[in-house]
PDB file of all heavy atoms in Angstrom:
ATOM      1  N   LEU A  69      42.186  16.410 -13.359  1.00 97.00           N
ATOM      2  CA  LEU A  69      42.729  17.738 -13.192  1.00 97.00           C
ATOM      3  C   LEU A  69      41.769  18.750 -13.762  1.00 97.00           C
ATOM      4  O   LEU A  69      41.349  18.667 -14.874  1.00 97.00           O
ATOM      5  CB  LEU A  69      44.117  17.838 -13.890  1.00 97.00           C
ATOM      6  CG  LEU A  69      44.842  19.210 -13.805  1.00 97.00           C
ATOM      7  CD1 LEU A  69      45.094  19.548 -12.354  1.00 97.00           C
ATOM      8  CD2 LEU A  69      46.116  19.209 -14.621  1.00 97.00           C
ATOM      9  N   THR A  70      41.403  19.753 -12.986  1.00 97.00           N
ATOM     10  CA  THR A  70      40.452  20.781 -13.429  1.00 97.00           C
ATOM     11  C   THR A  70      40.685  22.132 -12.735  1.00 97.00           C
ATOM     12  O   THR A  70      41.269  22.205 -11.674  1.00 97.00           O
ATOM     13  CB  THR A  70      38.983  20.273 -13.146  1.00 97.00           C
ATOM     14  OG1 THR A  70      38.088  21.207 -13.695  1.00 97.00           O
ATOM     15  CG2 THR A  70      38.735  20.226 -11.621  1.00 97.00           C
ATOM     16  N   ASN A  71      40.223  23.148 -13.488  1.00 97.00           N
ATOM     17  CA  ASN A  71      40.277  24.519 -12.913  1.00 97.00           C
ATOM     18  C   ASN A  71      38.858  25.010 -12.500  1.00 97.00           C
ATOM     19  O   ASN A  71      38.783  25.963 -11.778  1.00 97.00           O
ATOM     20  CB  ASN A  71      40.847  25.457 -13.929  1.00 97.00           C
ATOM     21  CG  ASN A  71      42.360  25.185 -14.192  1.00 97.00           C
ATOM     22  OD1 ASN A  71      42.617  24.370 -15.016  1.00 97.00           O
ATOM     23  ND2 ASN A  71      43.245  25.871 -13.543  1.00 97.00           N
ATOM     24  N   ALA A  72      37.859  24.337 -13.019  1.00 98.00           N
ATOM     25  CA  ALA A  72      36.517  24.791 -12.710  1.00 98.00           C
ATOM     26  C   ALA A  72      35.555  23.625 -12.705  1.00 98.00           C
ATOM     27  O   ALA A  72      35.615  22.763 -13.519  1.00 98.00           O
ATOM     28  CB  ALA A  72      36.083  25.847 -13.741  1.00 98.00           C
ATOM     29  N   VAL A  73      34.672  23.697 -11.750  1.00 98.00           N
ATOM     30  CA  VAL A  73      33.603  22.621 -11.568  1.00 98.00           C
ATOM     31  C   VAL A  73      32.239  23.362 -11.393  1.00 98.00           C
ATOM     32  O   VAL A  73      32.140  24.205 -10.538  1.00 98.00           O
ATOM     33  CB  VAL A  73      33.825  21.727 -10.331  1.00 98.00           C
ATOM     34  CG1 VAL A  73      32.727  20.686 -10.240  1.00 98.00           C
ATOM     35  CG2 VAL A  73      35.192  21.048 -10.437  1.00 98.00           C
ATOM     36  N   LYS A  74      31.297  22.971 -12.264  1.00 98.00           N
ATOM     37  CA  LYS A  74      29.915  23.451 -12.164  1.00 98.00           C
ATOM     38  C   LYS A  74      29.014  22.203 -12.155  1.00 98.00           C
ATOM     39  O   LYS A  74      29.387  21.147 -12.755  1.00 98.00           O
ATOM     40  CB  LYS A  74      29.568  24.402 -13.324  1.00 98.00           C
ATOM     41  CG  LYS A  74      30.398  25.595 -13.371  1.00 98.00           C
ATOM     42  CD  LYS A  74      29.978  26.437 -14.539  1.00 98.00           C
ATOM     43  CE  LYS A  74      30.873  27.672 -14.618  1.00 98.00           C
ATOM     44  NZ  LYS A  74      30.527  28.525 -15.796  1.00 98.00           N
ATOM     45  N   ALA A  75      27.827  22.339 -11.578  1.00 98.00           N
ATOM     46  CA  ALA A  75      26.893  21.198 -11.597  1.00 98.00           C
ATOM     47  C   ALA A  75      25.436  21.649 -11.375  1.00 98.00           C
ATOM     48  O   ALA A  75      25.220  22.768 -10.847  1.00 98.00           O
ATOM     49  CB  ALA A  75      27.282  20.213 -10.507  1.00 98.00           C
ATOM     50  N   LYS A  76      24.519  20.824 -11.819  1.00 98.00           N
ATOM     51  CA  LYS A  76      23.105  21.038 -11.504  1.00 98.00           C
ATOM     52  C   LYS A  76      22.422  19.658 -11.498  1.00 98.00           C
ATOM     53  O   LYS A  76      22.870  18.722 -12.143  1.00 98.00           O
ATOM     54  CB  LYS A  76      22.403  21.976 -12.471  1.00 98.00           C
ATOM     55  CG  LYS A  76      22.233  21.433 -13.902  1.00 98.00           C
ATOM     56  CD  LYS A  76      21.477  22.427 -14.757  1.00 98.00           C
ATOM     57  CE  LYS A  76      21.261  21.832 -16.135  1.00 98.00           C
ATOM     58  NZ  LYS A  76      20.442  22.700 -16.911  1.00 98.00           N
ATOM     59  N   GLY A  77      21.356  19.553 -10.665  1.00 98.00           N
ATOM     60  CA  GLY A  77      20.568  18.337 -10.531  1.00 98.00           C
ATOM     61  C   GLY A  77      19.754  18.399  -9.283  1.00 98.00           C
ATOM     62  O   GLY A  77      20.300  18.182  -8.181  1.00 98.00           O
TER      63      GLY A  77
END
Side-chain angles (χ1 to χ4, degrees):
L69 179 61
T70 188
N71 294 83
V73 179
K74 297 178 183 179
K76 70 176 180 175

